[in-house]
Amino acid sequence: MPKISRLLIANRGEIALRIIRTAREMGITTVSIYSEVDKGSPHVYMADESYSVGEALSTSSYLNIDKVINVAKEANVDAIHPGYGFLSENSLFAEKVESAGFIFVGPSPNAIKIMGDKLSAKRAVSSFAVPLVPGTDFPVKDISQAKLEAKKIGFPIIIKASAGGGGKGMRIVNSINELDELFSLAVNEALKSFGNGDVFLEKYIMSPRHIEIQILSDSFGNFVHLFERDCSIQRRHQKVIEEAPSALLSDELRTSMGKAAINAGKSCDYVGAGTVEFIFDTSGSFYFLEMNTRLQVEHPVTECITGIDLVREQLRVANGEKLGFNQDDINVTGHALELRIYAEDSNNNFSPDTGVLSVYKRPQGPGIRVDDGIEEGQEVSIYYDPMIAKLIVTGPNREIAIERMVRAIEDYVIIGVENTLQFGKFVLTHPNFLNGDFNTHFIENHFKPEYLINDDNAKLALSLHNYFYSKKIYNSDSNMITSKWRLR
Ligand code: MV4
């Protein structure tokens, strides 16, 4: 007997739609929530039912635990899927969901808590054969202790906030002279941002690849991994392109990273879909960084190369079912890339842009998937994440997947809001990206705004490439009848 027949999706935008679609395929009734600015958004009318949770500001709506749980009661749902962001990695939320009698589609509150703190995560995985960056597995309390430990590790080192994430509270220290100042800056920033001044030290890995492993587990202790995603192409901790498989992992490393990732999951009795993040250095060693206890933005590339619907597996596992396959059943076919398209101006230091999407045409064709949560004519507001859409392509190999992505970018029309489509094309056509020679510093090393067209008219022409594209059309007398043709 399935327990989940009614599901609340505690999120908005593309991920809410992503979850609604799979739930519907499984015969589950979907309930969404919306803030006042999202009244006309697709996640409201795509769900079977939708409830208001308040004003635009996230703290008064999508982040308000009591309001979300009240909707769950009112709508009489069986389970809550948190998506990513918002309340997805809030252990207090998971706890309250469960104590109100609902199924939380995700791991236990305890697993979220362990992995939500970097030091406790490192301590948990340390006895489970997961390689760690040389460093301290305890908070460094004062500057004299910092000096002692830094000398043991050897410079350069990196100071990290235990409660941190997304690069906040991190400081790179190149020599002992800089340590005093950077240590107190890191502690103060950690205190101010997280209310927790615990920091630890690690050897700084200079030019790493960021490689993460998708895992899945059920409540019977079965674990599998779904291979890696290479997320090295990022800008200030904001991912830009993700791909699977990585252009550089050997099968041997892939297998040992997969095993390490499963062990990290076992260290906290993980249940559901999770991601274990590693950095990979130039000598081919990999080290655990952290574990994300949610479905990730970039999960589609894994779905594309494995054929596995990760949301379906999350819901099956939450429903108390066993994983439907074991490790040997999971195979990789082809290559997938995801480009995140942000409402940001790449000519103006990527400052967020807002406005109405006056024209919005998605690319189509074999191997193309667009995950978005907005329609033509709707407004991109200041209130939430600036990501407009994810363009995901699959091809038989990396080269063809890249060619396909470039074609899809050319066919994509986004007018009314500055966006990073052309920036994405710059990266995808860069020789170092093409030959797989890149690390997390790719954009700072290779991108200058001058490389993109800065002229408004030219930019418009580019975004209209396939909307009003110039083609030679001849009539029956072989006279050219037009040089402008409106697509569809
Ligand atoms: C590191 C590192 C180098 N050495 N740790 C950045 C965010 C957080 N998840 C961990 N991060 C890093 N930790 C050591 N010991 C470099 C980074 C890092 C990074 C990691 C993954 C993806 C992009 C990054 C960009 C800058 C720094």
Coordinates of all heavy atoms in Angstrom, one line a residue, residues 338-397:
E338 N 24.9 20.5 -18.5 CA 23.9 21.5 -18.1 C 24.5 22.9 -18.0 O 25.5 23.1 -17.5 CB 23.4 21.1 -16.7 CG 22.4 22.2 -16.1 CD 21.8 21.8 -14.7 OE1 20.9 20.9 -14.7 OE2 22.3 22.3 -13.7
L339 N 23.8 23.8 -18.6 CA 24.1 25.2 -18.6 C 23.1 25.9 -17.7 O 21.9 25.9 -18.0 CB 24.2 25.9 -20.0 CG 24.4 27.4 -20.0 CD1 25.8 27.8 -19.5 CD2 24.2 27.9 -21.4
R340 N 23.5 26.6 -16.7 CA 22.6 27.4 -15.9 C 22.5 28.8 -16.5 O 23.5 29.5 -16.7 CB 23.0 27.5 -14.4 CG 23.2 26.2 -13.7 CD 23.3 26.5 -12.2 NE 23.7 25.3 -11.5 CZ 23.8 25.2 -10.2 NH1 23.5 26.3 -9.5 NH2 24.1 24.1 -9.6
I341 N 21.2 29.2 -16.8 CA 21.0 30.5 -17.4 C 20.5 31.4 -16.3 O 19.4 31.2 -15.7 CB 20.1 30.4 -18.6 CG1 20.7 29.5 -19.6 CG2 19.8 31.8 -19.2 CD1 19.6 28.8 -20.5
Y342 N 21.3 32.4 -16.0 CA 21.0 33.4 -14.9 C 20.5 34.7 -15.5 O 20.9 35.1 -16.5 CB 22.2 33.7 -14.0 CG 22.7 32.5 -13.2 CD1 23.8 31.8 -13.7 CD2 22.1 32.1 -12.1 CE1 24.3 30.7 -12.9 CE2 22.6 31.0 -11.3 CZ 23.7 30.3 -11.8 OH 24.2 29.2 -11.0
A343 N 19.6 35.4 -14.7 CA 19.1 36.7 -15.1 C 20.2 37.7 -14.6 O 20.0 38.4 -13.6 CB 17.8 37.0 -14.5
E344 N 21.4 37.7 -15.2 CA 22.5 38.5 -14.8 C 23.1 39.1 -16.0 O 23.1 38.5 -17.1 CB 23.5 37.6 -14.0 CG 23.0 37.1 -12.7 CD 24.0 36.2 -12.1 OE1 25.0 35.7 -12.7 OE2 23.9 35.9 -10.9
D345 N 23.7 40.3 -15.8 CA 24.4 41.0 -16.9 C 25.9 40.6 -16.9 O 26.6 41.2 -16.1 CB 24.1 42.5 -16.8 CG 24.7 43.2 -17.9 OD1 25.3 42.6 -18.8 OD2 24.4 44.5 -18.0
S346 N 26.3 39.8 -17.9 CA 27.7 39.3 -17.9 C 28.6 40.5 -18.3 O 29.8 40.4 -18.1 CB 27.8 38.1 -18.8 OG 27.0 38.3 -19.9
N347 N 28.1 41.6 -18.9 CA 28.9 42.7 -19.2 C 29.0 43.7 -18.0 O 29.8 44.7 -18.1 CB 28.3 43.5 -20.4 CG 28.4 42.7 -21.7 OD1 27.4 42.5 -22.3 ND2 29.6 42.4 -22.0
N348 N 28.3 43.5 -17.0 CA 28.2 44.4 -15.9 C 28.4 43.6 -14.6 O 27.6 43.7 -13.7 CB 26.9 45.1 -15.9 CG 26.9 46.3 -15.0 OD1 27.9 46.7 -14.4 ND2 25.7 46.9 -14.8
N349 N 29.6 42.9 -14.5 CA 30.0 42.2 -13.3 C 28.9 41.2 -12.8 O 28.8 41.0 -11.6 CB 30.4 43.2 -12.2 CG 31.2 42.5 -11.2 OD1 31.9 41.6 -11.5 ND2 31.2 43.0 -10.0
F350 N 28.1 40.7 -13.7 CA 27.0 39.7 -13.4 C 26.0 40.3 -12.4 O 25.5 39.5 -11.5 CB 27.6 38.4 -12.9 CG 28.4 37.7 -14.0 CD1 29.8 38.1 -14.3 CD2 27.8 36.8 -14.8 CE1 30.5 37.4 -15.3 CE2 28.6 36.1 -15.8 CZ 29.9 36.5 -16.1
S351 N 25.7 41.5 -12.5 CA 24.7 42.0 -11.6 C 23.3 41.5 -12.0 O 23.0 41.4 -13.2 CB 24.7 43.6 -11.5 OG 24.3 44.1 -12.7
P352 N 22.5 41.2 -11.0 CA 21.2 40.6 -11.3 C 20.3 41.5 -12.1 O 20.3 42.7 -11.8 CB 20.6 40.3 -9.9 CG 21.7 40.3 -9.0 CD 22.8 41.2 -9.6
D353 N 19.6 41.0 -13.1 CA 18.6 41.9 -13.8 C 17.2 41.4 -13.5 O 17.0 40.2 -13.2 CB 19.0 41.8 -15.3 CG 18.3 42.9 -16.1 OD1 18.0 44.0 -15.5 OD2 18.0 42.8 -17.3
T354 N 16.3 42.3 -13.6 CA 14.9 41.9 -13.4 C 14.1 42.5 -14.6 O 14.6 43.3 -15.4 CB 14.3 42.5 -12.1 OG1 14.5 44.0 -12.2 CG2 15.0 42.0 -10.9
G355 N 12.8 42.1 -14.7 CA 12.0 42.6 -15.8 C 11.1 41.5 -16.3 O 11.1 40.4 -15.9
V356 N 10.3 41.9 -17.4 CA 9.4 41.0 -18.0 C 10.1 40.3 -19.1 O 10.8 40.9 -19.9 CB 8.1 41.8 -18.5 CG1 7.2 40.8 -19.3 CG2 7.4 42.4 -17.4
L357 N 9.9 39.0 -19.2 CA 10.4 38.2 -20.3 C 9.5 38.4 -21.5 O 8.5 37.7 -21.7 CB 10.3 36.7 -19.9 CG 11.4 36.0 -19.1 CD1 11.2 34.5 -19.0 CD2 12.8 36.3 -19.7
S358 N 9.8 39.4 -22.3 CA 8.9 39.8 -23.4 C 8.9 38.8 -24.5 O 7.9 38.5 -25.1 CB 9.3 41.2 -23.9 OG 10.7 41.2 -24.2
V359 N 10.1 38.2 -24.8 CA 10.1 37.0 -25.7 C 10.8 35.9 -25.0 O 11.9 36.1 -24.5 CB 10.8 37.4 -27.0 CG1 10.7 36.2 -28.0 CG2 10.1 38.6 -27.7
Y360 N 10.3 34.7 -25.1 CA 10.9 33.6 -24.4 C 10.6 32.3 -25.3 O 9.5 31.8 -25.3 CB 10.5 33.4 -23.0 CG 11.2 32.3 -22.3 CD1 12.5 32.4 -22.0 CD2 10.6 31.1 -21.9 CE1 13.2 31.4 -21.3 CE2 11.2 30.1 -21.2 CZ 12.6 30.2 -20.9 OH 13.3 29.2 -20.3
K361 N 11.6 31.9 -26.1 CA 11.5 30.7 -26.9 C 12.5 29.7 -26.5 O 13.7 29.9 -26.6 CB 11.6 31.1 -28.4 CG 10.7 32.2 -28.9 CD 9.3 31.7 -29.1 CE 8.4 32.8 -29.5 NZ 7.0 32.6 -29.1
R362 N 12.1 28.5 -26.2 CA 13.0 27.4 -25.8 C 13.5 26.6 -27.0 O 12.8 26.5 -28.0 CB 12.3 26.4 -24.9 CG 11.7 27.0 -23.6 CD 10.9 26.0 -22.9 NE 10.3 26.6 -21.7 CZ 9.1 27.2 -21.7 NH1 8.4 27.4 -22.8 NH2 8.6 27.7 -20.5
P363 N 14.7 26.2 -26.9 CA 15.3 25.3 -28.0 C 14.6 24.0 -28.0 O 14.1 23.6 -26.9 CB 16.7 25.2 -27.7 CG 16.8 25.4 -26.2 CD 15.7 26.4 -25.9
Q364 N 14.6 23.3 -29.1 CA 14.0 21.9 -29.1 C 14.9 21.0 -29.9 O 15.9 21.4 -30.4 CB 12.6 22.0 -29.9 CG 11.6 22.8 -29.1 CD 10.3 22.8 -29.9 OE1 10.2 22.9 -31.1 NE2 9.2 22.7 -29.1
G365 N 14.5 19.8 -30.0 CA 15.2 18.8 -30.8 C 15.8 17.6 -29.9 O 15.7 17.6 -28.7
P366 N 16.4 16.7 -30.6 CA 16.9 15.5 -30.0 C 17.9 15.8 -28.9 O 18.8 16.7 -29.1 CB 17.6 14.7 -31.1 CG 17.2 15.3 -32.3 CD 16.7 16.7 -32.1
G367 N 17.8 15.2 -27.7 CA 18.8 15.4 -26.7 C 18.7 16.7 -26.0 O 19.7 17.1 -25.3
I368 N 17.6 17.4 -26.1 CA 17.6 18.7 -25.4 C 16.5 18.7 -24.4 O 15.4 18.3 -24.6 CB 17.3 19.8 -26.5 CG1 18.6 20.0 -27.3 CG2 17.0 21.2 -25.8 CD1 18.6 21.1 -28.3
R369 N 16.8 19.2 -23.2 CA 15.9 19.3 -22.1 C 16.0 20.7 -21.5 O 17.1 21.1 -21.2 CB 16.2 18.2 -21.1 CG 15.5 18.4 -19.7 CD 15.8 17.1 -18.8 NE 15.4 17.4 -17.4 CZ 15.6 16.5 -16.4 NH1 16.2 15.4 -16.6 NH2 15.2 16.8 -15.2
V370 N 14.9 21.3 -21.3 CA 14.9 22.6 -20.6 C 14.1 22.5 -19.3 O 12.9 22.2 -19.4 CB 14.3 23.8 -21.5 CG1 14.4 25.1 -20.8 CG2 15.1 23.9 -22.8
D371 N 14.7 22.7 -18.2 CA 14.0 22.8 -16.9 C 13.9 24.2 -16.5 O 15.0 24.9 -16.2 CB 14.8 22.0 -15.9 CG 14.6 20.5 -16.0 OD1 14.1 20.0 -17.1 OD2 14.8 19.7 -15.0
D372 N 12.7 24.8 -16.6 CA 12.6 26.2 -16.1 C 11.2 26.3 -15.4 O 10.5 25.4 -15.4 CB 12.6 27.1 -17.3 CG 11.6 26.9 -18.4 OD1 10.6 26.2 -18.1 OD2 11.7 27.3 -19.5
G373 N 11.0 27.5 -14.9 CA 9.8 27.7 -14.1 C 9.1 29.0 -14.4 O 8.4 29.5 -13.6
I374 N 9.3 29.4 -15.6 CA 8.8 30.8 -16.0 C 8.3 30.7 -17.4 O 8.8 29.9 -18.2 CB 9.8 31.9 -15.7 CG1 9.2 33.2 -15.9 CG2 11.1 31.7 -16.6 CD1 10.1 34.4 -15.3
E375 N 7.3 31.5 -17.8 CA 6.8 31.6 -19.1 C 6.9 33.0 -19.7 O 7.1 34.0 -19.0 CB 5.2 31.3 -19.1 CG 4.9 29.9 -18.7 CD 5.3 28.8 -19.7 OE1 5.5 29.2 -20.9 OE2 5.4 27.6 -19.4
E376 N 6.9 33.0 -21.0 CA 6.9 34.3 -21.8 C 5.9 35.3 -21.2 O 4.7 34.8 -20.9 CB 6.6 34.1 -23.2 CG 6.8 35.3 -24.1 CD 6.7 34.9 -25.6 OE1 7.7 34.4 -26.1 OE2 5.7 35.0 -26.2
G377 N 6.2 36.5 -21.0 CA 5.3 37.5 -20.5 C 5.3 37.6 -19.0 O 4.7 38.6 -18.4
Q378 N 6.0 36.7 -18.3 CA 6.1 36.8 -16.8 C 7.3 37.6 -16.4 O 8.2 37.8 -17.2 CB 6.0 35.4 -16.2 CG 4.7 34.7 -16.5 CD 4.5 33.4 -15.8 OE1 5.5 32.7 -15.4 NE2 3.3 33.0 -15.6
E379 N 7.3 37.9 -15.1 CA 8.3 38.8 -14.6 C 9.4 38.1 -13.8 O 9.1 37.2 -13.0 CB 7.7 39.9 -13.7 CG 8.6 41.0 -13.4 CD 7.9 42.2 -12.7 OE1 6.7 42.3 -12.8 OE2 8.7 43.0 -12.1
V380 N 10.6 38.4 -14.0 CA 11.7 37.9 -13.2 C 11.9 39.0 -12.1 O 12.2 40.1 -12.4 CB 13.0 37.8 -14.0 CG1 14.2 37.3 -13.1 CG2 12.9 36.8 -15.1
S381 N 11.7 38.6 -10.8 CA 11.7 39.6 -9.8 C 13.0 39.6 -9.0 O 13.9 38.7 -9.3 CB 10.5 39.3 -8.8 OG 10.9 38.2 -7.9
I382 N 13.1 40.5 -8.1 CA 14.4 40.5 -7.2 C 14.3 39.5 -6.1 O 15.3 39.4 -5.4 CB 14.6 41.9 -6.6 CG1 13.3 42.3 -5.9 CG2 14.9 42.9 -7.7 CD1 13.5 43.5 -4.9
Y383 N 13.2 38.9 -5.9 CA 13.0 38.2 -4.6 C 13.7 36.9 -4.4 O 14.0 36.5 -3.3 CB 11.5 38.0 -4.3 CG 10.8 39.3 -4.0 CD1 10.0 39.9 -5.0 CD2 11.0 40.0 -2.8 CE1 9.4 41.1 -4.8 CE2 10.4 41.2 -2.6 CZ 9.6 41.8 -3.6 OH 9.0 43.0 -3.3
Y384 N 13.9 36.2 -5.5 CA 14.5 34.8 -5.4 C 15.7 34.7 -6.2 O 16.2 35.6 -6.8 CB 13.4 33.8 -5.8 CG 12.0 34.1 -5.1 CD1 11.0 34.6 -5.9 CD2 11.9 34.0 -3.8 CE1 9.8 34.9 -5.3 CE2 10.7 34.3 -3.1 CZ 9.6 34.7 -3.9 OH 8.5 35.0 -3.3
D385 N 16.2 33.4 -6.3 CA 17.4 33.1 -7.0 C 17.3 33.6 -8.5 O 16.3 33.5 -9.1 CB 17.5 31.6 -7.0 CG 18.8 31.1 -7.6 OD1 19.0 31.0 -8.8 OD2 19.7 30.8 -6.7
P386 N 18.4 34.2 -9.0 CA 18.4 34.7 -10.4 C 18.4 33.7 -11.5 O 18.4 34.0 -12.7 CB 19.6 35.6 -10.4 CG 20.6 35.0 -9.4 CD 19.7 34.4 -8.4
M387 N 18.4 32.4 -11.2 CA 18.5 31.4 -12.2 C 17.1 31.3 -13.0 O 16.1 31.1 -12.4 CB 18.8 30.0 -11.7 CG 19.2 29.0 -12.7 SD 19.6 27.4 -12.0 CE 18.0 26.7 -11.6
I388 N 17.2 31.6 -14.3 CA 16.0 31.5 -15.1 C 15.6 30.1 -15.6 O 14.5 29.7 -15.6 CB 16.1 32.4 -16.4 CG1 16.5 33.8 -16.1 CG2 14.9 32.4 -17.3 CD1 16.9 34.7 -17.3
A389 N 16.7 29.4 -16.0 CA 16.4 28.1 -16.6 C 17.7 27.3 -16.6 O 18.8 27.8 -16.4 CB 16.0 28.3 -18.0
K390 N 17.5 26.0 -16.8 CA 18.7 25.1 -17.0 C 18.5 24.4 -18.4 O 17.5 23.9 -18.7 CB 18.7 24.0 -15.9 CG 18.6 24.5 -14.5 CD 18.7 23.4 -13.4 CE 17.7 22.3 -13.5 NZ 17.6 21.6 -12.2
L391 N 19.5 24.6 -19.2 CA 19.5 24.0 -20.5 C 20.4 22.7 -20.4 O 21.6 22.8 -20.1 CB 20.1 25.0 -21.5 CG 20.3 24.5 -22.9 CD1 19.1 23.9 -23.5 CD2 20.8 25.6 -23.8
I392 N 19.8 21.6 -20.6 CA 20.5 20.3 -20.4 C 20.5 19.6 -21.8 O 19.4 19.5 -22.4 CB 19.8 19.5 -19.4 CG1 19.6 20.2 -18.1 CG2 20.5 18.1 -19.2 CD1 18.2 20.3 -17.5
V393 N 21.7 19.2 -22.2 CA 21.8 18.4 -23.5 C 22.5 17.1 -23.2 O 23.3 17.0 -22.4 CB 22.5 19.2 -24.6 CG1 21.8 20.5 -24.9 CG2 23.9 19.4 -24.3
T394 N 22.1 16.1 -24.0 CA 22.7 14.8 -24.0 C 23.1 14.5 -25.4 O 22.4 14.8 -26.4 CB 21.7 13.7 -23.5 OG1 21.1 14.2 -22.4 CG2 22.4 12.4 -23.2
G395 N 24.3 13.9 -25.5 CA 24.8 13.4 -26.8 C 25.5 12.1 -26.6 O 25.8 11.7 -25.5
P396 N 25.9 11.5 -27.8 CA 26.6 10.2 -27.7 C 28.0 10.3 -27.1 O 28.5 9.4 -26.5 CB 26.7 9.7 -29.1 CG 26.3 10.9 -30.0 CD 25.5 11.8 -29.1
N397 N 28.6 11.5 -27.2 CA 29.9 11.7 -26.6 C 30.0 13.2 -26.2 O 29.1 14.0 -26.5 CB 31.0 11.3 -27.5 CG 31.0 12.0 -28.8 OD1 30.8 13.2 -28.9 ND2 31.2 11.2 -29.9

